[in-house]
């Protein structure tokens, strides 16, 4: 599983200009089964996406297609983790530690 942390690098009005395309991209990735949650950070200086079911190379390719990246209005920090415990509703995402 991955935590994708977006940090805006341009003024909010530049981010807003690309927001509709970014939301369409998010919906595409939800439909593909790659994303399980996303939202704005508070304060609004970026966002967070939870991704699952893909490897790091795939995540990097997905992130590279984000309209925010293509417009140069944000950067990403990609953190991989092993979700060994989850809420019951997320049980399908639970992972095992490799030994």
């Amino acid at each position: 599983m991955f935590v994708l942390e977006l940090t805006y690098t341009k003024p909010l009005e530049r981010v807003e200009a690309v927001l509709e395309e970014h939301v369409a991209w998010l919906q595409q990735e939800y439909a593909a089964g790659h994303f399980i949650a996303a939202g704005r950070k508070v304060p609004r200086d970026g966002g967070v996406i939870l991704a699952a079911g893909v490897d790091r190379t795939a995540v990097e390719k997905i992130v590279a297609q984000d309209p925010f990246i293509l417009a140069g209005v944000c950067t990403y920090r990609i953190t991989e983790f092993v979700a060994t415990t989850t809420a019951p509703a997320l049980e399908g995402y639970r992972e095992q530690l490799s030994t």
Side-chain angles (χ1 to χ4, degrees):
M1 189 170 290
F2 296 87
V3 176
L4 312 178
E5 183 180 1
L6 296 75
T7 301
Y8 299 147
T9 58
K10 300 295 181 196
L12 198 51
E13 50 274 2
R14 295 260 318 266
V15 173
E16 290 283 346
V18 193
L19 186 58
E20 189 173 318
E21 293 93 354
H22 172 75
V23 170
W25 170 80
L26 285 170
Q27 292 170 343
Q28 173 186 316
E29 297 305 326
Y30 279 118
H34 300 148
F35 292 170
I36 56 176
R40 294 175 178 173
K41 291 194 292 187
V42 178
R44 190 174 175 198
D45 61 0
V48 174
I49 301 169
L50 294 181
V54 291
D55 62 26
R56 187 174 192 92
T57 300
V59 166
E60 289 171 353
K61 288 179 183 177
I62 290 167
V63 164
Q65 295 305 309
D66 180 351
F68 281 176
I69 288 293
L70 298 174
V73 300
C74 85
T75 59
Y76 270 86
R77 177 177 169 205
I78 300 172
T79 304
E80 184 172 4
F81 73 103
V82 180
T84 56
T85 59
T86 63
L90 298 175
E91 193 171 309
Y93 296 102
R94 193 170 299 153
E95 301 173 284
Q96 299 293 319
L97 291 172
S98 59
T99 54

